[in-house]
Amino acid sequence: MCGLHLSAKDYYATDFGVKADGKTLNTSSIQKGIDFVNAQGGGRLVFTAGNYQTGTIYLKSNVTLHLEEGATLLGSTNPWDYEKDPYIRWMSMIFAVKQQNIGITGKGTINGRGFQTANNMVDYIQRGIYEDPLKLGRPNETNRPQNIYFRECENVEIKGVTMMNPAFWTQTYDQCENLLIDGITVHSRAYWNNDGMDIVDCNGALIQNCYVDATDDAICLKSHSADAVCQNIEVRNNTACSSASGIKFGTASTG
C-alpha cells in the first residue's frame, strides 16, 4: 500500500487497496477509503483511470467521490453484492443516508451493468434462491440496484460524470436539500424502468446542462411521502431523450 496523499485533502482509492483491474470486488476497500476521508474531516476520494468493480457502498458526510477521466465504477453483476438498505428498502450501488456536503464529480463513469445484474437476479428467482414476485417476468423494483440513492442529505453536488446502465432507475435524490446536478451525461437503456433521474420530495435543487437518454422518464419529479413535497426546483438547459416523458411530474404524487 502506498503512502496516503495528504495534500489538498485528496486521497487516492488505490492507497486503500482498491484495484483498477475490473475484476477485483472492491466494495470493502472503497468503503474503508470513504470512512477514512470522513474521519479526517473530509476531502476527495480520487479514482484514477481504470475499472473499479464494486457492490453497495455508503457515501458519508464531507466526502466527494472524484472520478478522473477514464475511471469507471463498475457495478458487480452478482445481485448478492448489493444491499437493500433497511431504511430506504431499495437497492443501490451508492447510498447516502442523512449525510451532508457530499458529491460525485469528474469526467469518469458509473456503469451499473444492470442488464447482466437483473438477468442474474431473474435466474436466482426462477431457481428459488431469491424470493421475489417476478412481475411481468422481471424482478421487483426494490430488488434491482440503482446507481445512486441519496436520502435526506444536504448540500449534494453531482457534476460532470457519466452514469449508465442501472438495473432500475439511474439516480434518486429523496428528501434532499440544496442539490446541484450539473453537466452530467446519462445513458439509461439497459433494462426496464430505466429513469434518468428522480427528484423525490426535495427542497432546493438545480438541474442544468445535462444530457439524459432514458428508456423511461428522463427527468422525473415525484413525491413518495405524505409529509413532504418537491419545492424550489429549477430545471434548465438540459437535453432529454425518453421513450416515456422528457420531464414528468409523478407518477408517485403522495405529498
Side-chain angles (χ1 to χ4, degrees):
M1 183 181 295
C2 300
L4 292 173
H5 299 251
L6 297 175
S7 61
K9 293 190 177 180
D10 274 0
Y11 307 89
Y12 286 79
T14 50
D15 289 339
F16 299 92
V18 178
K19 304 298 183 184
D21 56 15
K23 298 177 181 179
T24 303
L25 185 65
N26 290 297
T27 311
S28 177
S29 298
I30 294 173
Q31 191 63 59
K32 287 178 181 177
I34 292 171
D35 295 347
F36 181 90
V37 177
N38 168 260
Q40 298 306 303
R44 302 195 308 175
L45 184 63
V46 179
F47 293 80
T48 54
N51 296 311
Y52 303 85
Q53 183 177 204
T54 185
T56 295
I57 55 176
Y58 280 79
L59 193 55
K60 295 187 177 180
S61 290
N62 305 311
V63 180
T64 293
L65 302 181
H66 184 75
L67 308 179
E68 293 186 348
E69 188 170 7
T72 299
L73 285 180
L74 284 176
S76 169
T77 58
N78 181 357
W80 297 107
D81 291 332
Y82 297 94
E83 295 183 27
K84 182 182 284 189
D85 183 85
Y87 181 56
I88 298 173
R89 301 193 299 274
W90 299 61
M91 283 185 176
S92 185
M93 183 199 307
I94 306 173
F95 276 120
V97 184
K98 299 183 180 180
Q99 305 298 307
Q100 296 82 40
N101 309 318
I102 58 175
I104 302 175
T105 62
K107 295 183 179 181
T109 299
I110 300 172
N111 183 350
R113 297 198 289 185
F115 181 80
Q116 297 96 319
T117 306
N119 279 288
N120 287 341
M121 177 64 85
V122 170
D123 181 59
Y124 288 136
I125 295 166
Q126 290 175 336
R127 291 161 54 197
I129 298 173
Y130 197 94
E131 185 176 347
D132 183 282
L134 204 64
K135 183 179 178 182
L136 300 176
R138 59 186 103 142
N140 183 273
E141 291 88 345
T142 63
N143 295 328
R144 286 183 264 144
Q146 303 186 31
N147 285 359
I148 293 174
Y149 201 121
F150 290 175
R151 173 72 182 266
E152 296 171 48
C153 295
E154 298 178 12
N155 305 325
V156 177
E157 180 178 286
I158 310 295
K159 194 169 184 179
V161 294
T162 295
M163 299 188 205
M164 58 192 299
N165 301 336
F168 185 42
W169 298 343
T170 309
Q171 53 195 317
T172 300
Y173 307 93
D174 189 346
Q175 298 183 44
C176 294
E177 294 190 16
N178 193 20
L179 165 67
L180 172 65
I181 304 176
D182 187 5
I184 73 169
T185 300
V186 178
H187 297 290
S188 189
R189 292 185 170 273
Y191 202 68
W192 297 93
N193 315 112
N194 278 160
D195 285 10
M197 60 179 73
D198 291 86
I199 313 299
V200 182
D201 292 318
C202 289
N203 181 11
L206 174 60
I207 302 156
Q208 63 179 5
N209 309 320
C210 300
Y211 177 86
V212 184
D213 182 13
T215 52
D216 210 325
D217 304 321
I219 301 171
C220 190
L221 280 64
K222 299 174 179 281
S223 176
H224 287 174
S225 171
D227 301 318
V229 294
C230 277
Q231 58 187 339
N232 304 314
I233 295 171
E234 183 173 358
V235 180
R236 68 184 185 196
N237 196 39
N238 303 285
T239 299
C241 308
S242 172
S243 301
S245 303
I247 299 178
K248 183 180 180 181
F249 299 87
T251 302
S253 305
T254 307

